[in-house]
Amino acid sequence: MRKITIALVSMMILIALSSCTTMKAVPNDRAVKRFINLYNTGDTEKMTVMTSIPMLIDGEIVARTSDANFFWTRLAEAGFKFDGSEYYTIEPVTDKSSLIFGDTMEVATFFDKYVPSTAVLVRLSGPGGDFILLLSGRKGRYPFIFGFTGPLS
Amino acid sequence: MKHILIISFLTIISVAVFAQDADLVFVDGWVDIKSAGDTFEAFPGDSLKAGDSVITGEDSYAELEQKDLSSITVKPDSIFTIREIETDRGKETVLATTVGSVSFKFGKLFGTEPRVATPSMVAGIRGTELTVYAGEDGSTLITVNSGLVSVESEGSTVDLAKDEGVEVRPGEAPGEKFSLLGREMDFASWNKEKYESLIADPIEGLDRLGNQLDGFVGKIDELELFRAKNKEKKDILLEEMEKIKESSGQEKANVFFKENIEALALLEAPSYLNIRYHTLSALSFRRYILGKLYLEMKSKYIMDVQNHEYLDFLSSYNRIMNNFEIDIVPYMNPRDL
């Protein structure tokens, strides 16, 4: 009886931990892979939930959830997908990372103010070239997306 | 130091008398408040002060009440901001709708009358119930249920009475007013039509939006010119005051300051406030209207980034953004983002 109780309590703790939300967890390889797969399934509602608002798209700060949803929906409608989920690189954010999105005061401030130091830049290929996803934290199985840019020239 | 204290005191008093804050009295669905650069979920009882915004989602709305019992309903998918501007009548509250739809029912007002604004117009009001629709192409539709509204854009004014409305396109004078009688206003359809018209020719649309941003820059430039002239006058008078101090003593210099320089110093605070007003209006316009057009084009051409229409769009967009960086960004601070 005691073993069953311990097992149930452990299971409840695990469920609670897996569904907890944090913006500061470092996304590991498995989380990144899950995120790319999530995007490629075209589940735009879930993508919107996993979007940290404000979000950066190139040099534009997206400040409304409805605009983020609009963007993910339009990308899905256009048939935009990343090339598989096996080939990507993960790098930590540095002082220079903001320049990938744009050399402006707004982008620099966005990084200073909204991007956790634990964020990573995921570089992966898609139609027309390489793209960068700025990911950090976790909610359940997926990291949050803070930024999207590409194709890089 | 004494003079600086007096000036600061006067400024604080004028804010206390005329600022019209608002309290959130009802929230349905998820609503955000943006205040001093931070965004957080809104709850009934939250207070909004000048500079704060209410952002509603696709399925949410919020009701606010001011101390004079005026009520403001921020409808779904809208952005509403309380701003302040200095006019020849003193400091006035500006209730700004950047995008979406907001209804106003004004009670007995205290201080100066509030103004209602969108990116393309400013309206003066008098005992009024009205609704403002700010479209995603920068256009405005304003309808009056009771009272009088004076709509101003590009130096032209149209006066609206009960059951009248008018449309204002960005960068243009108000159009012909129309009667609301027997007419059902459907903001969603109006906004869809406006947005489709914008993206039908995105480069021409972007140019129009760029002109609208130039309008904000023009207003900031005028205020800067005023400030520069004011400073020039003040510097000359300060030199004169130093000479008086040397020749006739501190007391005479203080009298000279009070009679000649203090008034000039007092003029600086309003021009700073108004520069901030136009800066924040430009930022909202860029963020929610121009930014949405950018997302539209990026997502449309993400599989065809070498498309000539997209490249032409990017060329105009980059030019406008460079101008924004030069003309608007120096007046912004990190808390605005």
Side-chain angles (χ1 to χ4, degrees), chain A residues 57-64 66-67 69-71 74-75 78-81 103-106 109-110 113-114 127-128 131 148-151, chain B residues 37 55 58 77-79 99 136 195 283 286-288 291-292 294-296 298-300 302-303 305 317 321 324-325 329 332-335 337:
Chain A
I57 296 177
D58 299 335
E60 283 294 335
I61 295 173
V62 175
R64 286 197 300 176
S66 60
D67 285 345
N69 182 252
F70 168 84
F71 184 66
R74 292 298 301 268
L75 288 195
F80 176 86
K81 286 187 179 182
D103 187 7
T104 66
M105 172 268 198
E106 284 185 278
T109 304
F110 178 89
K113 207 167 158 181
Y114 298 111
F131 290 79
F148 174 102
T149 189
Chain B
I55 304 172
E58 282 171 330
D77 224 4
S78 302
I79 297 165
V99 286
E136 286 182 323
Y195 189 67
L283 177 62
R286 177 256 156 95
R287 176 79 67 251
Y288 300 108
K292 178 77 183 285
Y294 181 80
L295 297 187
E296 171 78 45
K298 179 159 182 88
S299 55
K300 184 176 178 182
I302 197 152
M303 306 284 278
V305 290
Y317 169 82
M321 286 303 106
F324 185 87
E325 197 72 12
V329 166
M332 287 166 46
N333 67 58
R335 288 163 70 95
L337 297 175

Side-chain angles (χ1 to χ4, degrees), chain B residues 35-63:
Chain B
S35 176
D38 291 322
T39 303
F40 46 87
E41 189 179 356
F43 292 101
D46 288 345
S47 287
L48 275 86
K49 57 187 186 307
D52 293 350
S53 299
V54 172
I55 304 172
T56 56
E58 282 171 330
D59 303 312
S60 61
Y61 75 99
E63 285 181 8

Side-chain angles (χ1 to χ4, degrees), chain A residues 1 9 16 18 22 25 36-37 39 45 51 53 66-67 74 76 83 91 104 107-109 112 122 129 137 147 151:
Chain A
M1 184 63 187
V9 169
S18 67
T22 169
I36 299 167
N37 284 334
Y39 175 81
E45 290 304 317
T51 302
I53 297 293
S66 60
D67 285 345
R74 292 298 301 268
D83 298 340
E91 283 175 21
T104 66
V107 171
T109 304
D112 282 347
V122 177

